[in-house]
């Protein structure tokens, strides 16, 4: 029996944005995901490293890797 998977409101929104990006390099969708999550990622990297410039670099790297792997994204969780 197939289990119903609950998708959060954020997960649905992120999935739509990812699909827009994959469908044709939608810059607005890309910007929306970036603006939604960049501060959270930066703060996490800053806590890990204690160095703002390293946190900046790691944040950019994390988003670059995430966007290269967009085809693997599933809506069961938010993009974060």
């Amino acid at each position: 029996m197939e289990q119903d998977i609950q998708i959060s409101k954020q997960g649905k929104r992120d999935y739509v944005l990812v699909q827009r990006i994959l469908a044709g390099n939608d810059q607005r969708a890309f910007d929306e995901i970036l603006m939604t999550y960049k501060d959270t990622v930066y703060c996490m990297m800053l806590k890990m490293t204690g160095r703002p410039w390293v946190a900046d670099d790691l944040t950019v790297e994390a988003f670059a890797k995430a966007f290269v792997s967009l085809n693997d994204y599933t809506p069961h969780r938010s993009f974060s």
Side-chain angles (χ1 to χ4, degrees):
M1 180 179 260
E2 190 172 314
Q3 181 181 355
D4 286 335
I5 298 174
Q6 296 294 325
I7 299 173
S8 70
K9 191 178 214 181
Q10 187 71 34
K12 289 177 186 177
R13 184 193 73 89
D14 292 349
Y15 182 73
V16 168
L17 291 171
V18 168
Q19 292 309 306
R20 285 175 42 198
I21 293 167
L22 292 173
N25 274 341
D26 186 328
Q27 186 63 45
R28 287 185 183 182
F30 178 89
D31 291 344
E32 191 169 337
I33 285 183
L34 184 62
M35 296 307 289
T36 299
Y37 295 109
K38 73 173 183 151
D39 289 343
T40 302
V41 173
Y42 173 80
C43 287
M44 182 177 64
M45 298 300 180
L46 184 58
K47 283 182 184 180
M48 290 171 55
T49 66
R51 295 185 174 98
W53 65 272
V54 174
D56 279 333
D57 287 348
L58 291 174
T59 299
V60 170
E61 188 174 322
F63 276 100
K65 287 182 179 183
F67 283 111
V68 166
S69 301
L70 281 180
N71 285 320
D72 297 331
Y73 174 74
T74 60
H76 305 326
R77 294 179 282 181
S78 67
F79 187 81
S80 64

